[in-house]
Amino acid sequence: MNAVPSNSRRQFLKTGALIGSGLVVGFVLPAASRFAQADPAAAAAAAAQPFAPNAFLRVGSDDSVTVLLSHSEMGQGIWTGLAMLIAEELDADWSTIKVEHAPAAQAYAHTAFGMQMTGGSTSTWSEFDRYRQAGATARALLVAAAAQRFGVPVDQVRTENGVAIAGDKRARYGELALDAAKLPPPKAPLPLKDAKDWKIIGKSTKRLDGPDKITGKAKFGMDVQFDGLFTAVVARSPVFGGSVKSFDASKAKAVAGVRDVVQVPSGVAVIADHYWAAKQGRDALVIDWDLGPNAGLDTVKLREQFRALAATEGAVAGQAGDVKGALAKAAKTLEAEYNVPYLAHSPMEPLNCTVKIDADGCDVWTGTQFQTVDQKVAAEITGLKPEQVRIHTMFLGGGFGRRATPTSDFVTEAVHVAKAAGKPVKTVWSREDDVRGGYYRPMYLQRARIGLDAQGLPIAWEHVLVGQSITAGTPFEPMMVKNGIDATSVEGVADSPYITGLKDFRVDLHSPRTGIPVLWWRSVGHSYNAFVMESLVDELAYAAGKDPVEYRRTLLKDHPRHLAALDLVADKSRWGSKLEPGRGRGVAVHESFGSYIAQVAEVSLVDQPGGGKGIRVHKFFCAIDCGIAVNPDGVHAQMESGINFGLGAALHSALSFKDGRVQESNYHDYRVLRLDEAPQIEVHIVPSTEKMGGAGEPGTAPVAAAVANAVYALTQQRLRELPLRLPA
């Protein structure tokens, strides 16, 4: 099994095409026992039959329909959304639906990326056809089995709510499962329901995982426990790139409960009976570190280096015409510099991974977004074949991209620890380990020079971005970096309709390598580029003396999906109406991950405990066009989640480095949004049958711009740096 799809775009596309053409036949596994598993005797009988049931569901003799989830549930709601796709075509009784995470296997590879993974707001649209086909295939087999039992032609059998019906004859799916298991599956793609016949898709549906998460029954990686399992905490270099020169474990081994101390590539692991003993043992270690080449890292100095780079030409991400000539002729020119900091993902559940290695293979229990990569690295470390590594995907207590590192860093480390210890071990990261352990949203500095005509409309746009590439140096580089341009660095700028609609523009990119490990963070490049672009457009609107919404309508007149979202949010927020005294209103609209989102924030200023003024966000209005909304309730939830997540970054979050060390450590100094700061949120979905986009990531992108623009409307102070801070 390959860790990544390919080493070239051509090969990647070829792989994707093969997988695409195999959507119908590729999701079938030769394992008859997937049917009728609720009855052991029946399962044994079924297993003897050369049947090829579906890899994505099984029907039990108790009428249960179990959906196997090829992606990871980390709060985004696919536990319910993907099950709805199967249930729709299967005509299943929704009350019988159960869901499990699928094992790591090529059958569950992403239809676009060729590896089993979750990310990029792709789960629902990428599975929209495959999961519906899975349901349709199972239904066809059950109908054929019913026709045989009833002694009627297949076309006289209809299905409804988990029951096959022909005249006065009825049979539940569970009663038909064994007979269906003996039938050959359809060879061709089956026709799917017309949208007008949908009974489940498009209807707001309560989450299937909700009750277990509310009652504590849901199992996350941190919950894994079994007899003979030990816990490890690892001491890692305080500077990225550092290594252990020597260590003294005598004090650590004196801690009650500590069983062993082992060195692994990432540092020194203390293994104990439980977490607290392991942590105390880790803290008692005496380690002499070789800090390596990054001991002088300093974000203040880095920013100055970035600023110097921004004054030079970089790799060209996009250009047209003669931008300098057009700028020279502009009636007015606007110049601005924007800055965003490094950010940690900081999911509520810190990283953890449990590993058991024995003669039968290697078992890995963890909340992961990258099963294929995890399986590969575990096989390499243990010397096993990939199929001997069994990945048990647990619920993820948040991911935001952190559990999808190209090196599977936390899984790699845990496998090394278990191998060195010679016993089953759960390696646990503390919150401080998580904040200081690497893989951050990169820091960026951007500079723009925009020329306006006499009517205040842009005629020339010169834009430079400086910040680390998240894919350079990883297996994804050949696919994602072309001519020195990491597509994720410039998304939302180089392809922005505000820029590409001009005759004269140029977008440059510098991708310095700093030694700080960086990674995708919720909404990836859009997380900072939407802030910059929508703030700049707001600046242009005010420079032109135009209303910000009307100004955007003019610039986006040829982009109907942007306009539909913008119009809807303007209507729902009563844009232009009188606000309460002391409040300001700001707007932003941005496309990312195939979805079009417009947001309006309503803010005021509040006194800060230590003096000065802070920003209070009272209301947030959001309109989204994501194409077909499979579960509108889920889309609402993702917009609310993305807005609150984005507000944390807009108002509070920032990581800094000094002497190579991360200065922040926990939620007290790496702030995220707190409950009492959450605004009142309204979400509205644009009725749409356009191409589907994502919902998990794009809600975060425009948030900071909407807030910054609201602050400007209130104070006439333009805030060009995140987190947003009012001048003293």
Side-chain angles (χ1 to χ4, degrees), residues 12 70-72 74 76-78 81-82 85 108-131 369-370 404 480 491 520 523-524 592-595 626 628 630 638 691-698:
F12 167 72
S70 55
H71 303 272
S72 304
M74 48 188 169
Q76 78 277 44
I78 57 171
L82 296 191
L85 301 178
Y108 303 104
H110 196 292
T111 60
F113 303 138
M115 58 183 284
Q116 193 173 351
M117 55 82 69
T118 307
S121 268
T122 60
S123 294
T124 301
W125 66 254
S126 70
E127 298 294 4
F128 190 66
D129 287 338
R130 182 161 70 167
Y131 268 60
Q369 297 175 242
F370 260 14
M480 300 299 295
E491 58 189 5
W520 27 65
S523 78
V524 198
S592 64
F593 304 94
S595 289
C626 59
I628 297 167
V630 171
Q638 283 306 293
K691 184 178 179 181
M692 291 176 70
E697 309 224 30

Side-chain angles (χ1 to χ4, degrees), residues 247-256 258 261 268 270 281 284-287:
F247 70 95
D248 179 354
S250 56
K251 292 182 180 178
K253 290 181 177 179
V255 174
V258 170
V261 177
V268 180
V270 175
L285 286 170
V286 178
I287 303 176

Side-chain angles (χ1 to χ4, degrees), residues 607-638:
D607 293 331
Q608 296 285 77
K613 294 288 186 180
I615 301 166
R616 174 76 191 189
V617 181
H618 298 274
K619 294 182 179 179
F620 226 95
F621 299 87
C622 176
I624 175 175
D625 174 1
C626 59
I628 297 167
V630 171
N631 183 4
D633 212 26
V635 174
H636 277 251
Q638 283 306 293

